Amino acid sequence: MTQLTGQPTTDDDIVHLTVPADGGYLSVLRTATAGLAARLQFALDEIEDLRIAVDEACAMLLAIAARDAELDCRFAVTEDALTVEVTVPTTSGARLPAESSFAWKVLTALTTSAGARAADGRATISLLTRRASGW
């Protein structure tokens, strides 16, 4: 398997978390994000930027989530990067914010790259952050 980083990963490098699509559970995803980024020895400001980006991505998805939905969060860990992919089933006709929106500006400013897709009643936001600091 190859992630957005272009580096191969194994199943041991993947962490899946599923939480109710409710803002009260986002702290679980923020904590997991910080823990995995710390494992990669990201700098403290890089960890905080990634936590904020994950929070923003989840907020965007919660706004269009179907009733009683669950957020599925997949973390892929490589040697120098963390990819976070958050997916949620959506309400009929739901649309993600435009890439020119403030929310997208936040995501692109805080991560190496960000992208989204919506298909088959699900919306997904993917974030890639590479560690800038050396070991």
Side-chain angles (χ1 to χ4, degrees):
M1 177 184 316
T2 301
Q3 296 303 310
L4 293 175
T5 60
Q7 296 179 6
T9 62
T10 66
D11 288 339
D12 293 339
D13 298 317
I14 305 296
V15 176
H16 281 114
L17 289 175
T18 301
V19 297
D22 180 290
Y25 293 92
L26 295 185
S27 62
V28 173
L29 299 179
R30 288 191 302 266
T31 300
T33 300
L36 291 168
R39 179 177 164 218
L40 289 172
Q41 299 184 357
F42 277 43
L44 290 177
D45 59 334
E46 293 171 323
I47 293 171
E48 189 58 25
D49 286 352
L50 188 53
R51 282 173 31 101
I52 293 167
V54 167
D55 197 55
E56 188 67 34
C58 290
M60 290 168 60
L61 291 174
L62 290 179
I64 61 172
R67 184 181 180 117
D68 298 323
E70 292 183 327
L71 279 172
D72 182 32
C73 191
R74 182 178 180 273
F75 300 89
V77 179
T78 61
E79 186 176 312
D80 68 343
L82 181 61
T83 301
V84 182
E85 188 173 88
V86 186
T87 303
V88 70
T90 60
T91 58
S92 179
R95 297 179 57 166
L96 288 163
E99 290 191 15
S100 61
S101 69
F102 178 74
W104 275 106
K105 294 203 183 309
V106 169
L107 290 183
T108 57
L110 296 176
T111 61
T112 305
S113 66
R117 65 184 179 280
D120 302 323
R122 295 189 72 78
T124 302
I125 296 177
S126 300
L127 308 171
L128 167 66
T129 300
R130 291 187 186 281
R131 184 183 63 241
S133 58
W135 286 69

